[in-house]
Amino acid sequence: MKDFTSFLEMDGIRPAPYSANSHWVALERWDALKPREIAEELVRAHALIYEKLPKRVKAVLALPEKERAKLIRERKKELAKSK
C-alpha cells in the first residue's frame, strides 16, 4: 500500500486531473504498476469510496441486480413526473 507522494515519485504516474486534491493519481501507461498492484489499489479505492456512501445508497447497492434495476427505474419515473 503506497501513499500519494510515493506514487508521484514513480515513473509513469501523475496527479489525476480534477482529482489530485483528493490524492488520486493517473497512470500514464499500463506498465507503470504491476497488474497485481493495480488490482490491489483499485480494491482499496473502491473500499474508500464505498465507506463514504450514505446508508440508503449502500442498501440499494446490496439489492439483487434485478431489484436494484427496478427500483432505479421507478425512482427515475418519479423524478421525471416531479419536473
Side-chain angles (χ1 to χ4, degrees):
M1 178 170 76
K2 298 181 189 318
D3 65 352
F4 182 69
T5 54
S6 298
F7 279 120
L8 295 181
E9 293 173 356
M10 299 174 72
D11 189 38
I13 299 178
R14 60 183 174 83
Y18 310 106
S19 300
N21 60 343
S22 299
H23 295 157
W24 288 85
V25 296
L27 298 179
E28 293 177 332
R29 55 183 200 278
W30 286 106
D31 65 348
L33 292 173
K34 295 176 184 173
R36 190 178 118 258
E37 290 176 309
I38 293 172
E40 288 171 356
E41 292 302 328
L42 286 173
V43 167
R44 187 171 156 233
H46 179 272
L48 287 170
I49 296 298
Y50 183 81
E51 287 306 313
K52 293 180 180 181
L53 292 174
K55 288 181 183 180
R56 63 183 176 84
V57 174
K58 289 179 184 178
V60 171
L61 292 173
L63 292 171
E65 188 173 344
K66 286 185 179 183
E67 288 180 44
R68 183 173 58 238
K70 181 181 175 185
L71 179 64
I72 291 170
R73 275 194 310 273
E74 290 171 357
R75 288 187 180 174
K76 282 183 179 180
K77 285 180 186 176
E78 289 175 16
L79 285 172
K81 287 178 185 177
S82 65
K83 287 185 179 183

